[in-house]
């Protein structure tokens, strides 16, 4: 096989032998021969059955050649109209055939024709299940690139966006489509992202998350630096705002870059609901963020160091509840948090019908039995439950996961140094976010670097200003 | 700074909420402490401990030896001092440890009681919240309805160390199975017990101290046209206190003007509300002035100045203040204090 890398074999018999040798172990390999109507010249066509639309191949190519074409001119023009490329290199032919094209080879010709007859199973457009919204679009990205591009164009009607096909990785097996608006996206970001895509060295990338890891600025950080979304409306909004979208043919997720920390806390519903409601929800999410990170650690710090800040009515009931528990609050908290994370993970893996029972088991075991057995205190159950709820209201799953993980170091810091430990941890966290970048754009923007003018639009949502007053003549 | 060594798990600690101080028969300090009981099986939520020693700190060690867990004073809510101790000794030196240790709460209320502290704290009450909460609420609501002052440890320290003012603390007493606020206790310049103010006098004291939260109620009796006695109750909604300070013939002179805006909430007797308004106002003014004068006279007789006219004296006439600053109580007793009140009634209620 090694001698077949370069030039094509000449002669139809040699070609046939070479192909059969090459695809010896492939069960759906089909090779057929026919004769042209015009001069009786033998032609060979070969393809992989499952990825080729055989009907189309026969109807549009084989039949006209064998039954209709009157001279070689007509044959050539017919082949050129459906071709995926004229190739004279063996490795290109192989890649094309594995990629769903049919090969057509005529005797004594130095080149072969690749016919674009690929037909992949195209999944149905479904509602995105993992990013539900109340008022957003009901269609989600699928695992087919043309469908995804069509969805994007559908959501951005009339926009002339750049759509770049990039092949990267060793052997060019990773295919990425880059979509952006040339007048909105910053050229430096586009260039940087292109550069990073071209430098990918892993042979294959299966999911968008894997690709994101290859492209992100800080791979040691807990926080996602790109947004992965299944929602065409989210992607369209991002593109319209000047972000760059990356699509992969076999991934139903689209990557948006560059992102800022605070934009992970916005939901697509924010645009379609009344602004005071949205502002309230957005503040709720930020409060939820603080609760999700700090509540268990503040509780530990309070009962371990700063009992003074508990009101006197509460100190008695908290004290009574803690008295029964043999372990220090940190162990109690870890125990509960671990169980909670296990439950969450378990319900994720189980089919939905069984998943409900996990909730019941978890609710009863943790909520009641553990307290009655004196393993954990009542207050800790409340703290952990509140924390869980607060982390579940985050609209972005990647960010919510980061937040869930963050509270463990904070709990340790709280147990070692009390409130001072929490403050130290918070300072480290702020420094980390402030120093992070997404495609060399500041990740913490507009909080740091401080852009006061943008704060109101990020933390709250104000009404779309400047209602145009209708002229009398227009009434 | 907090660190690993500073960790005190809440359930391993013993939180003292009330410190009671009394004079023991042998002249030592008898301390009664109320600590929170975290044990779920025990029926009561608090444990009463008592000991006798030289100082508060020594007593703390004695108390803590009687109970397990680390003894913490960070949630100290109330300090109860008996009248007996206040009559015999100055309170401030006893509390020194509480001011010196930053971990002891300085927002605890100081309360005097006219009985043995141990007896007060051991009173078996019919169903009530924990004693700490009970006493604290008693004082807070008592202060809100103007029947006593509210002095925290911090404020007490100010009143004791400031020359121009003498201390005033709330006073409670067991009444039957319950506790009740009975008024205000005044300490003299020497820091010992000087006088007791009733609930009514306490209201006027708060009014003159500008510490009242409206409405402050005042009940008195006036005479109607037929010379019949008629009871009248006022809700004082707004009041200002204007003090003019002077010095005449070797004595300080204070002219206190008290414009009061009040609402009549109860009016017996034969009055025509609209026509007799001025007459009622004049009668009430007289009564209020009389009550204020009586209060000032009582203060002067006991040589105490809980309102803080010494601060005015220092601010407006420092030269003469310097001469009397060492014993302001005596100087205030000799001062010429005149009170004038104006009453403006803004409402007689919804009924004509």
């Amino acid at each position: 096989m090694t001698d077949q890398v370069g030039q094509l074999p000449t002669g139809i018999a040699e070609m046939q032998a070479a192909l059969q040798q090459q695809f010896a172990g492939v069960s759906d390999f089909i090779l057929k021969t026919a004769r042209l109507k015009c001069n009786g010249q033998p032609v060979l066509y070969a393809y992989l059955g499952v990825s080729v639309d055989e009907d189309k191949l026969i109807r549009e190519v084989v039949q006209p050649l064998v039954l209709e074409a009157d001279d070689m001119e007509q044959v050539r023009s017919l082949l050129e109209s459906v071709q995926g490329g004229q190739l004279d290199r063996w490795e290109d032919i192989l890649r094309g055939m594995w990629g769903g094209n049919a090969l057509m080879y005529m005797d004594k010709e130095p080149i072969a024709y690749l016919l674009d007859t690929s037909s992949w199973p195209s999944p149905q457009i479904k509602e995105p299940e993992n990013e539900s919204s109340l008022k957003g679009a009901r269609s989600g990205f699928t695992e087919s690139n043309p469908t995804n591009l069509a969805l994007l164009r559908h959501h951005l009607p009339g926009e002339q966006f750049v759509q770049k096909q990039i092949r990267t990785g060793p052997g060019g097996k990773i295919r990425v489509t880059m979509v952006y608006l040339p007048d909105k996206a910053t050229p430096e970001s586009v260039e940087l992202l292109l550069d990073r895509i071209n430098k990918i060295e892993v042979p294959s990338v299966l999911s968008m998350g894997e690709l994101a890891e290859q492209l992100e600025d800080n791979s040691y950080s807990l926080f996602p630096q790109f947004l992965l979304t299944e929602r065409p409306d989210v992607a369209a909004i991002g593109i319209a705002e000047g972000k760059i979208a990356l699509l992969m043919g076999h991934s139903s997720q689209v990557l948006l870059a560059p992102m800022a920390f605070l934009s992970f806390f916005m939901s697509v519903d924010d645009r379609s609901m009344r602004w005071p409601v949205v502002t309230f929800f957005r503040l709720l999410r930020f409060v939820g963020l603080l609760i999700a990170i700090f509540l268990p650690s503040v509780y530990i710090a309070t009962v371990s160091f700063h009992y003074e800040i508990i009101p006197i009515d509460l100190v008695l009931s908290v004290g009574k509840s803690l008295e029964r528990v043999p372990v220090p609050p940190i162990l109690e908290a870890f125990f509960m948090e671990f169980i909670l994370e296990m439950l969450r993970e378990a319900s994720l893996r189980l089919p939905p019908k069984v998943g409900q029972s996990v909730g019941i088991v978890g609710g009863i075991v943790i909520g009641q039995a553990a307290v009655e057995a004196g393993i954990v205190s009542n207050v800790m159950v409340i703290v952990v439950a509140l924390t869980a709820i607060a982390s579940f209201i985050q609209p972005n799953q990647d960010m919510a996961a980061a937040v869930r993980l963050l509270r463990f170091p904070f709990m340790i810091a709280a147990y070692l140094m009390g409130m001072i430990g929490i403050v130290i941890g918070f300072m480290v966290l702020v420094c980390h976010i402030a120093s992070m970048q997404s495609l060399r754009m500041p990740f913490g923007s507009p909080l740091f670097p401080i852009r006061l003018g943008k704060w109101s639009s990020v933390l709250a949502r104000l009404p779309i200003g400047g209602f145009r007053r209708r002229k009398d003549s227009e009434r | 700074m907090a660190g690993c060594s500073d960790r005190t798990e809440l359930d391993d600690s013993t939180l003292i909420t009330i410190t009671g101080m009394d004079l023991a028969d042998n002249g030592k300090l008898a301390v009664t402490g109320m600590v929170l009981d975290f044990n779920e099986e025990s029926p009561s939520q608090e444990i009463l401990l008592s000991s006798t020693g030289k100082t508060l700190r020594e007593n703390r060690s004695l108390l803590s030896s009687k109970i397990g867990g680390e003894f913490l004073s960070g949630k100290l809510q109330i300090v109860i001092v008996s009248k007996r101790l206040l009559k015999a000794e100055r309170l401030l030196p006893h509390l020194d440890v509480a001011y010196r240790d930053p971990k002891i709460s300085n927002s605890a209320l100081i309360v005097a009681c006219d009985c043995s502290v141990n007896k007060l704290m051991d009173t078996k009450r019919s169903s009530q919240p924990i004693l700490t909460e009970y006493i604290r609420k008693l004082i807070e609501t008592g202060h809100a309805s103007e029947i006593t002052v509210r002095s925290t440890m911090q404020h007490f320290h100010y009143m004791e160390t400031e020359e121009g003012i003498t201390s005033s603390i709330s006073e409670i007493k067991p009444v039957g199975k319950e506790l009740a606020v009975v008024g205000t206790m005044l300490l003299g310049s020497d820091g010992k017990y000087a006088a007791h103010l009733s609930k009514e006098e306490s209201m006027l004291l708060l009014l003159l101290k500008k510490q009242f939260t409206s409405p402050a109620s005042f009940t008195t009796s006036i005479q109607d046209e037929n010379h019949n006695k008629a009871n009248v109750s006022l809700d004082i909604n707004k009041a200002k206190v204007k003090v003019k300070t002077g010095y005449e013939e070797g004595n300080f002179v204070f002219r206190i003007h008290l414009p009061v805006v009040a609402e009549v909430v109860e009016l017996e007797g034969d009055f025509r509300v609209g026509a007799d308004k001025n007459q009622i106002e004049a009668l009430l003014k007289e009564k209020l002035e009389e009550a204020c004068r009586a209060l000032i006279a009582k203060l002067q007789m006991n040589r105490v100045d809980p309102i803080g006219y010494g601060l005015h004296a220092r601010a407006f006439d420092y030269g003469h203040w310097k001469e009397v600053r060492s014993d302001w109580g005596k100087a205030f007793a000799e001062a010429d204090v005149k009170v004038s009140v104006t009453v403006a009634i803004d409402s007689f209620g919804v009924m004509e």
Side-chain angles (χ1 to χ4, degrees):
Chain A
M1 263 187 267
T2 44
D3 58 325
Q4 287 161 345
V5 168
Q7 290 293 308
L8 289 188
T10 49
I12 204 155
E14 289 84 356
M15 189 68 185
Q16 192 170 349
L19 279 171
Q20 265 162 353
Q21 190 194 352
Q22 191 67 37
F23 290 96
V26 183
S27 60
D28 64 333
F29 175 67
I30 296 167
L31 193 148
K32 287 179 180 164
T33 50
R35 279 179 188 283
L36 291 183
K37 184 194 173 196
C38 56
N39 55 6
Q41 196 181 355
V43 292
L44 170 154
Y45 58 99
Y47 53 92
L48 298 178
V50 292
S51 51
V52 165
D53 185 351
E54 288 181 288
D55 212 34
K56 185 182 170 192
L57 178 70
I58 303 291
R59 189 161 29 85
E60 291 185 6
V61 185
V62 181
Q63 251 177 21
L65 285 182
V66 177
L67 301 176
E68 288 162 20
D70 292 326
D71 52 37
M72 275 313 276
E73 255 339 280
Q74 281 189 1
V75 169
R76 291 240 164 73
S77 68
L78 191 93
L79 285 175
E80 272 159 22
S81 70
V82 285
Q83 74 184 12
Q86 293 182 358
L87 302 168
D88 53 2
R89 287 172 64 80
W90 189 243
E91 56 187 31
D92 292 339
I93 287 176
L94 288 183
R95 193 161 66 202
M97 287 185 68
W98 281 110
N101 294 323
L103 176 81
M104 171 120 341
Y105 180 76
M106 282 184 286
D107 203 12
K108 309 284 190 301
E109 294 268 334
I111 54 168
Y113 294 91
L114 272 182
L115 307 173
D116 188 6
T117 51
S118 65
S119 108
W120 298 105
S122 65
Q124 289 273 304
I125 295 178
K126 280 187 295 188
E127 194 172 341
E129 276 175 18
N130 299 328
E131 287 174 68
S132 44
S133 85
L134 282 176
K135 302 197 171 175
R138 288 282 167 268
S139 52
F141 283 126
T142 68
E143 280 150 20
S144 137
N145 220 15
T147 316
N148 291 354
L149 285 168
L151 278 170
L152 272 184
R153 286 200 197 134
H154 184 56
H155 279 88
L156 287 172
E159 295 281 5
Q160 301 174 3
F161 43 66
V162 175
Q163 194 175 308
K164 269 187 199 158
Q165 280 275 0
I166 308 153
R167 284 170 175 277
T168 181
K173 285 181 195 147
I174 303 171
R175 282 198 289 179
V176 181
T177 314
M178 190 185 212
V179 177
Y180 60 91
L181 290 177
D183 49 339
K184 294 270 179 63
T186 28
E188 294 84 38
S189 299
V190 174
E191 216 163 283
L192 186 69
L193 191 59
L194 262 179
D195 189 44
R196 285 193 191 160
I197 292 172
N198 285 328
K199 280 186 182 156
I200 290 178
E201 280 173 355
V202 290
S204 75
V205 169
L206 285 177
S207 70
M208 212 34 146
E210 233 179 306
L211 184 73
E213 205 181 328
Q214 297 289 330
L215 302 177
E216 64 196 0
D217 297 61
N218 186 351
S219 40
Y220 291 101
S221 174
L222 208 54
F223 296 108
Q225 291 142 56
F226 302 135
L227 182 76
L228 304 185
T229 181
E230 288 187 327
R231 306 191 60 89
D233 46 358
V234 172
I237 291 167
I239 292 171
E241 281 171 352
K243 297 196 170 89
I244 308 162
L246 289 187
L247 290 82
M248 275 202 305
H250 49 272
S251 170
S252 63
Q253 291 195 310
V254 166
L255 181 149
L256 281 180
M259 290 298 288
F261 180 69
L262 288 182
S263 44
F264 284 93
F265 300 95
M266 292 171 195
S267 137
V268 66
D269 284 335
D270 288 5
R271 294 186 161 239
S272 41
M273 288 173 28
R274 308 289 308 152
W275 67 268
V277 181
V278 172
T279 302
F280 172 71
F281 284 157
R282 219 175 255 184
L283 292 179
L284 205 67
R285 280 179 215 140
F286 291 125
V287 172
L289 173 73
L290 292 181
I291 290 179
I293 300 180
F294 293 113
L295 186 66
S297 44
V298 167
Y299 171 70
I300 290 171
T302 306
V303 297
S304 295
F305 290 93
H306 319 287
Y307 64 91
E308 293 99 335
I309 65 172
I310 316 174
I312 186 80
D313 303 313
L314 204 56
V315 89
L316 194 66
S317 60
V318 172
K320 273 188 192 283
S321 154
L322 281 176
E323 175 70 27
R324 280 177 48 138
V325 180
V327 293
I330 179 87
L331 284 183
E332 216 186 326
F334 266 87
F335 175 70
M336 288 295 290
E337 293 285 357
F338 274 131
I339 288 185
L340 185 84
E341 289 302 303
M342 279 196 282
L343 277 171
R344 199 188 53 77
E345 196 68 15
S347 59
L348 194 69
R349 303 285 165 234
L350 282 170
K353 282 174 191 163
V354 195
Q356 289 184 351
S357 59
V358 173
I360 296 166
V361 170
I364 292 171
V365 169
I366 299 181
Q368 264 180 297
V371 173
E372 273 170 31
I375 298 172
V376 292
S377 61
N378 283 319
V379 192
M380 185 56 87
V381 173
I382 297 168
V383 166
V384 169
L386 265 180
T387 316
I389 297 286
S391 74
F392 290 156
I393 67 167
Q394 301 306 341
N396 185 278
Q397 295 298 320
D398 294 330
M399 188 51 86
V403 165
R404 272 200 295 274
L405 207 59
L406 249 183
R407 57 176 174 249
F408 290 102
F410 271 101
M411 286 192 297
I412 295 171
Y415 188 64
L416 293 179
M417 283 178 284
M419 214 59 98
I420 291 170
I422 297 177
V423 170
I424 292 173
F426 182 64
M427 276 157 39
V428 172
L429 181 67
V430 167
C431 290
H432 174 62
I433 294 175
S435 69
M436 267 172 77
Q437 292 178 324
S438 173
L439 288 187
R440 303 236 180 97
M441 297 297 219
F443 187 61
S445 175
L447 295 181
F448 5 79
I450 299 170
R451 300 277 176 270
L452 278 178
K454 289 186 184 164
W455 282 25
S456 57
S457 65
V458 179
L459 300 175
R461 192 194 137 218
L462 301 177
I464 299 162
F467 283 104
R468 196 171 60 96
R469 190 166 273 200
R470 276 197 292 173
K471 288 179 197 142
D472 282 348
S473 57
E474 285 174 347
R475 272 185 196 156
Chain B
M1 164 140 166
C4 303
S5 57
D6 262 6
R7 183 181 309 124
T8 45
E9 303 292 353
L10 186 63
D11 49 331
D12 295 338
S13 46
T14 302
L15 300 185
I16 185 158
T17 54
I18 309 179
T19 304
M21 296 163 80
D22 205 340
L23 195 64
D25 290 333
N26 55 9
K28 281 185 168 181
L29 188 67
V31 170
T32 318
M34 190 69 95
V35 298
L36 290 181
D37 185 7
F38 289 150
N39 190 354
E40 212 166 339
E41 269 83 50
S42 73
S44 78
Q45 301 183 301
E46 304 175 296
I47 305 170
L48 192 71
L49 303 167
S50 52
S51 68
T52 308
K54 281 201 281 294
T55 65
L56 202 58
R57 180 76 201 181
E58 190 189 355
N59 273 301
R60 181 192 145 124
S61 314
L62 293 173
L63 289 182
S64 71
S65 66
K66 292 183 181 175
I67 194 162
E70 194 172 345
F71 216 71
L72 299 171
S73 311
K75 287 240 62 103
L76 186 65
Q77 301 284 298
I78 291 154
V79 176
I80 303 179
V81 192
S82 77
K83 192 172 173 181
R84 191 174 165 207
L85 177 71
L86 285 170
K87 271 185 171 165
E89 285 169 30
R90 235 184 130 197
L91 178 60
L92 194 65
H94 283 302
L95 291 176
D96 184 75
V97 60
Y99 292 118
R100 210 165 287 284
D101 185 349
K103 284 184 178 172
I104 296 183
S105 163
N106 258 0
S107 60
L109 294 176
I110 296 200
V111 181
C113 77
D114 192 2
C115 66
S116 139
V117 170
N118 205 355
K119 187 187 146 210
L120 181 136
M121 285 169 72
D122 215 9
T123 312
K124 292 278 175 289
R125 291 159 295 134
S126 52
S127 81
Q128 285 289 353
I130 56 173
L131 187 66
T132 323
E133 271 297 275
Y134 180 45
I135 297 181
R136 193 160 182 114
K137 287 230 172 81
L138 217 56
I139 306 291
E140 304 275 4
T141 51
H143 179 60
S145 51
E146 282 92 15
I147 53 172
T148 186
V149 294
R150 178 183 180 277
S151 308
T152 59
M153 295 259 285
Q154 187 166 9
H155 191 221
F156 181 72
H157 189 266
Y158 163 76
M159 291 189 295
E160 281 294 292
T161 49
E162 167 60 54
E163 290 162 332
I165 195 168
T166 59
S167 308
S168 48
I169 53 183
S170 17
E171 190 173 343
I172 56 172
K173 205 167 126 178
V175 178
K177 277 190 163 186
E178 310 297 333
L179 300 177
V181 175
V182 291
T184 305
M185 185 178 280
L186 303 178
L187 307 186
S189 302
D190 56 354
K192 292 182 185 172
Y193 171 82
H196 162 77
L197 293 186
S198 70
K199 288 183 262 191
E200 292 76 23
E201 288 167 328
S202 297
M203 194 280 282
L204 292 170
L205 177 72
L206 289 171
L207 197 62
L208 289 168
K209 274 175 86 115
K210 290 191 250 180
Q211 272 187 4
F212 87 110
T213 51
S214 59
S217 81
F218 177 73
T219 302
T220 185
S221 59
I222 52 178
Q223 284 188 330
D224 65 10
E225 280 171 337
N226 312 326
H227 299 282
N228 290 330
K229 213 169 136 189
N231 287 325
V232 56
S233 292
L234 293 179
D235 268 359
I236 299 175
N237 290 327
K238 274 186 222 161
K240 281 184 184 167
V241 186
K242 294 176 182 168
V243 181
K244 280 193 178 155
T245 311
Y247 194 78
E248 276 170 22
E249 295 164 7
N251 285 325
F252 274 98
V253 179
F254 297 104
R255 295 280 173 271
I256 303 156
H257 181 56
L258 201 66
V260 165
V261 179
E263 181 186 345
V264 172
V265 290
E266 188 180 35
L267 179 62
E268 297 169 358
D270 190 13
F271 287 104
R272 280 161 299 151
V273 164
D276 294 345
K277 187 181 170 212
N278 289 342
Q279 185 204 346
I280 299 170
E281 281 177 352
L283 287 169
L284 286 172
K285 163 195 156 80
E286 228 167 76
K287 288 287 175 186
L288 260 175
E289 270 178 6
E290 201 177 288
C292 287
R293 264 182 226 124
L295 174 69
I296 301 279
K298 185 171 181 181
L299 299 181
Q300 284 184 317
M301 197 183 76
N302 290 296
R303 296 188 167 189
V304 290
D305 177 17
I307 304 165
Y309 289 116
L311 304 174
H312 289 266
R314 182 171 58 197
F316 290 100
D317 199 342
Y318 187 65
H320 290 114
W321 154 262
K322 263 203 302 194
E323 295 162 15
V324 296
R325 68 188 300 173
S326 57
D327 193 357
W328 169 248
K330 181 167 166 281
F332 178 67
E334 289 158 2
D336 176 15
V337 186
K338 289 226 161 52
V339 186
S340 67
V341 180
T342 55
V343 178
I345 295 174
D346 63 350
S347 161
F348 282 91
V350 290
M351 202 182 69
E352 279 292 306

